Amino acid sequence: SDGVVIFPNIKNARHIRVVIVDDDPITGMYMRARLAVKLKDIGEVLIDVMTEPLIVPGYDVYIIDNQFNEMSLASILVADARRTAPESLIITMSATLDYRTIALIVNRGCNGVYDKSNPLDNETVIDMLINYTKALQEKIETAKARVCLLTRIIKRVLNLFGH
């Protein structure tokens, strides 16, 4: 994994973690560069690229290629990702997805399918990713605010009892 933290706009926030799982390192680096530009205003985003067909826990978004060395592995990897990270956004990408494979990966928990040969799909999936990461960032900020409020309340209660 070759992660890079981009545009740290939010101090001390848990960053959003994205992994691109693709056996073609050039495609992975291209996707990472595109996402870095598109997600620059959202907050802290860590984007990793993995060239092995493995699902590693700890990511908020999994972008998974279908073909690994001429083998269709998306359905297996999507099921692993959904089991590993049930709340994560999972997107499958390929230039060779047939309807049977699409149905299989969607039934296994894929949230979006991206046809690499269709530029419109590219923009649609990036929009989906932007909306998801914005919602996730808002959730993180809300949780941080609640923790701060709870900490202040606990301090006040302890002060009332002389602690």
Side-chain angles (χ1 to χ4, degrees):
S1 143
D2 181 18
V4 111
V5 176
I6 55 170
F7 309 105
N9 298 330
I10 299 169
K11 293 192 183 330
N12 300 319
R14 172 194 169 291
H15 41 255
I16 295 169
R17 298 196 60 195
V18 177
V19 63
I20 300 163
V21 184
D22 192 328
D23 62 338
D24 180 357
I26 294 170
T27 299
M29 293 301 172
Y30 171 77
M31 282 288 294
R32 180 167 75 172
R34 269 190 63 68
L35 291 177
V37 169
K38 293 288 187 173
L39 300 177
K40 72 177 185 260
D41 297 325
I42 290 175
E44 237 178 273
V45 180
L46 177 89
I47 304 173
D48 286 333
V49 175
M50 296 180 58
T51 56
E52 295 298 318
L54 300 170
I55 297 301
V56 178
Y59 290 95
D60 302 298
V61 178
Y62 292 83
I63 301 174
I64 302 168
D65 189 25
N66 181 47
Q67 295 290 117
F68 282 84
N69 299 319
E70 305 306 316
M71 293 181 3
S72 179
L73 297 180
S75 64
I76 295 166
L77 295 173
V78 165
D80 286 349
R82 186 54 66 213
R83 218 176 3 264
T84 301
E87 300 298 317
S88 292
L89 178 68
I90 301 171
I91 298 169
T92 300
M93 61 180 178
S94 183
T96 59
L97 287 172
D98 57 61
Y99 289 112
R100 185 177 161 276
T101 304
I102 292 170
L104 183 61
I105 61 176
V106 168
N107 286 330
R108 292 202 172 168
C110 182
N111 301 104
V113 178
Y114 161 44
D115 181 348
K116 290 195 262 187
S117 64
N118 183 348
L120 293 176
D121 272 9
N122 186 1
E123 292 307 312
T124 301
V125 167
I126 286 177
D127 288 345
M128 178 195 302
L129 186 56
I130 289 170
N131 292 333
Y132 179 83
T133 52
K134 282 181 181 176
L136 186 58
Q137 195 63 52
E138 288 173 11
K139 197 173 181 181
I140 291 167
E141 291 302 313
T142 300
K144 283 175 53 180
R146 287 181 180 161
V147 167
C148 289
L149 177 61
L150 186 58
T151 302
R152 284 191 302 244
I153 291 170
I154 290 170
K155 284 180 181 179
R156 287 182 184 159
V157 169
L158 288 174
N159 283 337
L160 285 173
F161 292 103
H163 287 84

